[in-house]
Amino acid sequence: MKGVLVILDGIGDLPCKQLKDKTPLESADMSNLDFLAARGEMGIMYPVKPGFIPESDEAIVSIFGNNQIDSTRGQLEARGSGLKLIRGDLAFRANFATIDSLEKGNIIDRRAGRTLTTKEAEELSKALNKINMSVKFLFKPTVQHRAALVFKGGFSDNILGNDLTYLQGKSINVEKISYCKPIDDDENSQYSANIANEFIEKAYGVLNEHPVNRERRKRGLLPANYILIRGAGIEVPKLKMYRRWASVAYMPLEKGFSKLSGMTVYDFDYPKLKKLDAYQNLYDGLKEACDFSIKTIEKVKRDFDYIYIHIKETDLPGHDNKPIEKKLMFEYIDQTLFKFLRKFAPPKNIKVVVTGDHSTPCRLKGHSADPVPVLLYNNSELKEKHFSEAEAMKGKLGKIVGKEFLKKVGFDK
Ligand code: ZN
Ligand code: ZN
């Protein structure tokens, strides 16, 4: 093995009041990451390009040297969740969300309060899959409020979904529901948008008064009564191949991306969300992710040149403005995965690279265009110290754009 790449989703942040004007990374106590930082170099990266606010898929696609037009979120998610697709099948990433009503059209929560249990999502999906449509479709729940939606047949993907939060490098706080729209005047694009809109409207009819949601309302929880979709795609993503790489990926997006990039994927089933505490579920997931990563590295170290580990949980506290949770997650990863890597890498001269796919500043409650810190451990002489946004800014690696990233840190295909 030559290198380990760890992506901490949503790593970057801005100073937080709750942390005495430090970022979660700055205030975290991370002796193992600091050990690696002190024996390597740091820098910053613009995952797509300066000024661009990336979604996770856009960032990862770019960090592995691809162009945005070569891939779509919908295809990555659907293939990563195990759906079989043929060309022309229209795939989306979907969210269970909460709206007040179709008539009023106010979005109350894009993720149904992050409290949808696995069992509830499965029950609701079963009902959704019985919707009577003129075309075949599949709705597959994945983790928490997340799902993939596929319409089978010869569709156009030149359409915008009804979730417009992130679009072409910009981010807006969407408060009203909208409809899927064609973005050219092709008849098939109009037709494809109509089908998607028909599904979304019927889905509301099925979900709003579903027993699962009646029960949720009774318990004071937000009903999962609306479906938001984004990332329309009909073509298999054409990605650069990384055949000498293994990947630890457990969310559908990262699984789909790794598989389509020719990597050998090692995954585990995400712990079910059984009770209402989404953060307890996240910690269960994080623990499993760190344990599983360590086991996988030990298992495959002789079979692959590189391993890509994507830790998703660190993105969530940013979206929820929970800087202390974010800091605690960094500390947990430091005490587990990085403690292991600190011992694992030096004797074999294995490089360790740590970065993120984008920044998710707590106070913005969403992704931002701020660059992410990069750490390259290469067992060089002692110099820089704490791994943080500010320290990385001064680092020798300088400013990197996503597409140049792997070359810059000396990882190849
Ligand atoms: Zn992300
Ligand atoms: Zn995010």
Side-chain angles (χ1 to χ4, degrees):
M1 183 161 282
K2 295 178 187 166
V4 178
L5 169 63
V6 182
I7 302 265
L8 302 177
D9 207 301
I11 188 172
D13 216 299
L14 298 167
C16 304
K17 257 197 214 118
Q18 297 95 315
L19 301 173
K20 295 185 182 141
D21 286 329
K22 286 185 173 174
T23 68
L25 210 51
E26 265 170 342
S27 63
D29 188 357
M30 308 182 297
S31 57
N32 298 299
L33 262 172
D34 291 346
F35 174 94
L36 298 173
R39 289 155 184 83
E41 282 148 25
M42 287 196 266
I44 56 165
M45 166 169 65
Y46 294 95
V48 177
K49 57 187 175 188
F52 191 100
I53 302 175
E55 281 214 77
S56 290
D57 66 306
E58 294 169 320
I60 287 299
V61 159
S62 169
I63 289 170
F64 280 88
N66 305 287
N67 295 315
Q68 297 302 321
I69 51 161
D70 295 333
S71 160
T72 56
R73 177 88 185 224
Q75 286 277 329
L76 294 176
E77 293 263 359
R79 288 172 190 272
S81 58
L83 296 175
K84 301 266 175 290
L85 307 185
I86 56 168
R87 192 164 178 274
D89 288 353
L90 176 58
F92 293 94
R93 154 68 189 266
N95 268 21
F96 280 103
T98 307
I99 61 169
D100 50 1
S101 70
L102 214 48
E103 300 71 43
K104 289 189 198 137
N106 293 304
I107 299 175
I108 311 293
D109 192 305
R110 285 184 69 231
R111 307 174 185 91
R114 258 197 227 294
T115 51
L116 194 64
T117 66
T118 309
K119 195 158 161 262
E120 288 173 328
E122 278 165 5
E123 265 181 64
L124 294 175
S125 302
K126 212 186 264 176
L128 289 176
N129 278 310
K130 288 189 190 138
I131 290 176
N132 193 8
M133 297 277 300
S134 56
V135 298
K136 276 198 184 150
F137 71 94
L138 260 169
F139 186 91
K140 176 148 183 186
T142 57
V143 178
Q144 295 184 352
H145 56 273
R146 304 173 182 86
L149 170 65
V150 174
F151 296 103
K152 307 288 287 176
F155 289 97
S156 158
D157 61 1
N158 241 345
I159 63 173
L160 281 181
N162 66 339
D163 185 354
L164 305 174
T165 310
Y166 296 100
L167 220 49
Q168 286 153 354
K170 298 202 169 58
S171 149
I172 42 168
N173 188 12
V174 185
E175 285 165 355
K176 285 273 180 190
I177 61 171
S178 59
Y179 292 92
C180 303
K181 292 178 199 77
I183 42 184
D184 61 25
D185 19 328
D186 188 77
E187 231 173 81
N188 196 13
S189 303
Q190 183 65 60
Y191 170 72
S192 304
N194 289 348
I195 291 287
N197 285 325
E198 183 188 338
F199 174 82
I200 284 160
E201 202 173 317
K202 287 181 172 169
Y204 176 79
V206 166
L207 296 173
N208 195 40
E209 287 305 323
H210 191 282
V212 162
N213 281 327
R214 274 197 216 155
E215 186 57 34
R216 285 178 65 83
R217 284 194 188 93
K218 241 190 255 168
R219 288 156 60 210
L221 298 169
L222 293 175
N225 62 357
Y226 191 66
I227 302 296
L228 286 169
I229 59 174
R230 65 192 202 260
I234 57 166
E235 307 264 0
V236 192
K238 287 181 224 60
L239 302 172
K240 294 208 160 125
M241 288 291 122
Y242 290 83
R243 297 200 194 280
R244 285 149 53 215
W245 286 60
S247 147
V248 170
Y250 48 94
M251 299 299 273
L253 168 63
E254 287 80 27
K255 271 199 248 181
F257 172 80
S258 303
K259 219 161 50 173
L260 289 162
S261 299
M263 299 179 193
T264 302
V265 182
Y266 294 86
D267 64 354
F268 58 88
D269 287 332
Y270 205 76
K272 288 188 173 161
L273 175 58
K274 289 184 192 139
K275 303 206 187 82
L276 293 177
D277 188 348
Y279 274 78
Q280 186 52 53
N281 185 234
L282 283 178
Y283 277 111
D284 291 347
L286 183 61
K287 180 174 186 310
E288 182 72 38
C290 292
D291 286 353
F292 185 81
S293 297
I294 294 170
K295 272 186 218 142
T296 306
I297 294 172
E298 285 288 14
K299 191 169 128 192
V300 308
K301 63 189 176 195
R302 282 178 203 90
D303 307 328
F304 296 93
D305 286 355
Y306 299 98
I307 184 161
Y308 155 47
I309 295 169
H310 195 111
I311 304 283
K312 175 67 194 173
E313 287 78 5
T314 45
D315 183 43
L316 287 291
H319 283 285
D320 297 339
N321 190 15
K322 295 188 177 200
I324 295 168
E325 299 288 349
K326 192 165 175 178
K327 167 181 172 270
L328 290 172
M329 285 185 183
F330 289 142
E331 290 177 345
Y332 181 81
I333 302 166
D334 185 70
Q335 281 307 312
T336 51
L337 179 59
F338 292 117
K339 186 175 179 184
F340 166 81
L341 287 172
R342 170 185 180 163
K343 296 224 169 71
F344 174 79
K348 305 180 189 84
N349 268 323
I350 293 170
K351 285 185 185 174
V352 178
V353 171
V354 186
T355 186
D357 53 349
H358 48 76
S359 294
T360 310
C362 291
R363 74 161 114 109
L364 301 179
K365 295 178 92 173
H367 302 182
S368 75
D370 295 294
V372 291
V374 176
L375 185 169
L376 163 65
Y377 162 81
N378 53 8
N379 212 357
S380 57
E381 86 256 30
L382 277 172
K383 37 188 182 285
E384 288 156 315
K385 267 163 85 192
H386 189 63
F387 181 48
S388 71
E389 294 87 345
E391 292 273 325
M393 199 76 91
K394 298 181 256 167
K396 221 174 95 185
L397 283 176
K399 291 181 188 162
I400 313 168
V401 288
K403 259 187 109 174
E404 305 292 318
F405 169 70
L406 288 181
K407 215 187 291 160
K408 189 88 185 176
V409 295
F411 282 24
D412 44 31
K413 286 189 264 175

